[in-house]
Amino acid sequence: MESGPSQAFREELTCFVCMSYLTDPVTISCGHSFCRACLHLSWEDSQLPVQCPTCREPSQQEDFRTSIVLKKLVSIARQAGLMKYLSSEEHQCVTHKETKGIFCTENRIYLCQLCSDSHEHRGHRHCPIEAAAEGQMERLLKQMESLWKKIQDNEENLEAERRMITLWKNCLILREETIRAEYRTCYPDLSEQEEEHIACMKEEGNYYLEKLMESEAMMVQKDKQLRDMYQELMAMSQEPYVVLLQDFDDIFRRSKSMQLIKPLAMKPEIYVLAFNGLGQIFT
């Protein structure tokens, strides 16, 4: 178990929320630092001013810049852990008894220098393991940023759709009251036609209401899928570099594919056309 300066150093680079190494670290007004994703999730449903997860000091800040120094220190610590893992006797190159310091991007495996120069791997793309790990982490952070934006966009569309559902229900009630008032005023003897007209109006109105509710349900489902994927990416960002180098490609492809499918809200013109039809009492 680590002790002394080494343990203290790690503690300073640990996020209080997830208790893992800081990922894309940001520092808030009180001076405490957290993973950007951890702040996103912990502050998402909070009203301003939000509070620091550590000291509970209020903070009005919403947009953050990555703490370059902390990010570099975390990178150094993670790279040290990766090299310690690879330089251990059980993970050294079996053939040449050397540390595996090269990453083969074709086969997704670690190689020593001599193996990377061999006929089997000579034509493959290679890079130092530290650089490969940093590259994967940057890909992961960009994917998380893109996915978070999709989550926020979907949330805005969902709220807009819910407002439209409420508005639509109120409009249907108002339309029925308007029709009844017009019949009472102008055509008091046509009660049967009044009920037929209201029934027709409700049928058409409920058709559009069902479409709105279907759209809302799709957005709710999409929200869950996006958030589940974001949690997966968060978990991957907290893994050691040795895991990130080998296991990220699958989740990266799934995340990219998920973001291509976007539920669309119903177009406002549909509501206008619908109510133009509903507003015609007589043809």
Side-chain angles (χ1 to χ4, degrees):
M1 182 176 178
E2 292 180 311
S3 61
S6 179
Q7 177 65 19
F9 179 66
R10 178 175 180 118
E11 288 177 358
E12 290 301 316
L13 301 180
T14 298
C15 173
F16 176 82
V17 177
C18 65
M19 302 309 294
S20 298
Y21 271 132
L22 288 162
T23 301
D24 196 12
V26 295
T27 303
I28 60 177
S29 56
C30 62
H32 290 115
S33 301
F34 307 92
C35 303
R36 183 184 299 273
C38 288
L39 277 186
H40 278 328
L41 294 177
S42 63
W43 283 0
E44 185 179 20
D45 297 325
S46 302
Q47 295 182 344
L48 290 176
V50 291
Q51 295 181 330
C52 169
T54 299
C55 67
R56 299 301 174 186
E57 180 176 317
S59 175
Q60 296 284 354
Q61 198 171 356
E62 294 184 39
D63 297 324
F64 305 99
R65 291 185 178 181
T66 299
S67 175
I68 302 300
V69 174
L70 278 176
K71 184 177 180 181
K72 182 62 177 177
L73 290 174
V74 169
S75 174
I76 292 172
R78 284 186 161 181
Q79 287 183 9
L82 173 62
M83 298 316 296
K84 181 180 180 181
Y85 170 86
L86 293 175
S87 62
S88 62
E89 187 174 343
E90 62 178 312
H91 293 108
Q92 285 185 349
C93 174
V94 176
T95 304
H96 303 106
K97 305 302 180 183
E98 291 187 3
T99 298
K100 299 175 183 179
I102 307 295
F103 186 70
C104 175
T105 59
E106 306 289 334
N107 299 124
R108 316 298 299 175
I109 58 174
Y110 309 113
L111 303 170
C112 73
Q113 185 63 56
L114 292 174
C115 284
S116 69
D117 294 332
S118 68
H119 176 74
E120 181 182 358
H121 295 286
R122 193 177 302 156
H124 295 170
R125 290 181 299 156
H126 301 145
C127 66
I129 285 180
E130 299 96 321
E134 288 300 306
Q136 285 289 72
M137 178 58 78
E138 289 304 313
R139 286 179 69 203
L140 175 56
L141 293 180
K142 288 180 180 178
Q143 192 65 12
M144 290 177 67
E145 180 182 2
S146 173
L147 187 58
W148 184 254
K149 187 177 185 306
K150 289 291 190 302
I151 290 173
Q152 299 307 302
D153 289 344
N154 186 73
E155 184 68 26
E156 289 178 8
N157 289 335
L158 179 57
E159 290 302 316
E161 204 77 342
R162 285 171 172 165
R163 289 194 298 270
M164 184 57 70
I165 288 174
T166 300
L167 176 62
W168 189 253
K169 289 178 178 178
N170 292 336
C171 285
L172 290 178
I173 294 172
L174 179 61
R175 177 60 62 188
E176 179 177 355
E177 292 174 352
T178 302
I179 292 174
R180 291 193 182 281
E182 291 191 34
Y183 270 97
R184 284 196 300 271
T185 302
C186 303
Y187 311 98
D189 297 329
L190 300 179
S191 58
E192 184 176 343
Q193 289 87 338
E194 174 186 350
E195 294 304 322
E196 289 177 357
H197 188 81
I198 289 175
C200 181
M201 182 275 295
K202 285 184 176 181
E203 181 179 359
E204 187 172 1
N206 287 334
Y207 169 81
Y208 288 101
L209 180 59
E210 288 178 7
K211 294 296 181 184
L212 282 167
M213 296 180 73
E214 288 173 6
S215 177
E216 178 198 20
M218 289 176 61
M219 291 180 186
V220 169
Q221 182 182 16
K222 186 65 176 181
D223 182 71
K224 183 180 185 308
Q225 292 172 343
L226 291 172
R227 289 176 183 279
D228 287 347
M229 179 57 66
Y230 193 75
Q231 293 283 0
E232 278 195 63
L233 292 176
M234 276 188 66
M236 180 60 69
S237 74
Q238 295 161 359
E239 292 286 356
Y241 274 171
V242 66
V243 176
L244 183 62
L245 278 169
Q246 294 183 317
D247 295 345
F248 177 56
D249 284 354
D250 174 63
I251 190 175
F252 180 81
R253 284 191 294 269
R254 288 189 289 113
S255 177
K256 290 281 287 185
S257 175
M258 180 175 295
Q259 293 185 59
L260 294 176
I261 305 173
K262 179 181 178 182
L264 296 177
M266 288 178 63
K267 295 182 179 180
E269 305 90 79
I270 294 179
Y271 310 131
V272 176
L273 291 174
F275 266 121
N276 282 343
L278 295 178
Q280 295 173 2
I281 298 180
F282 296 104
T283 57

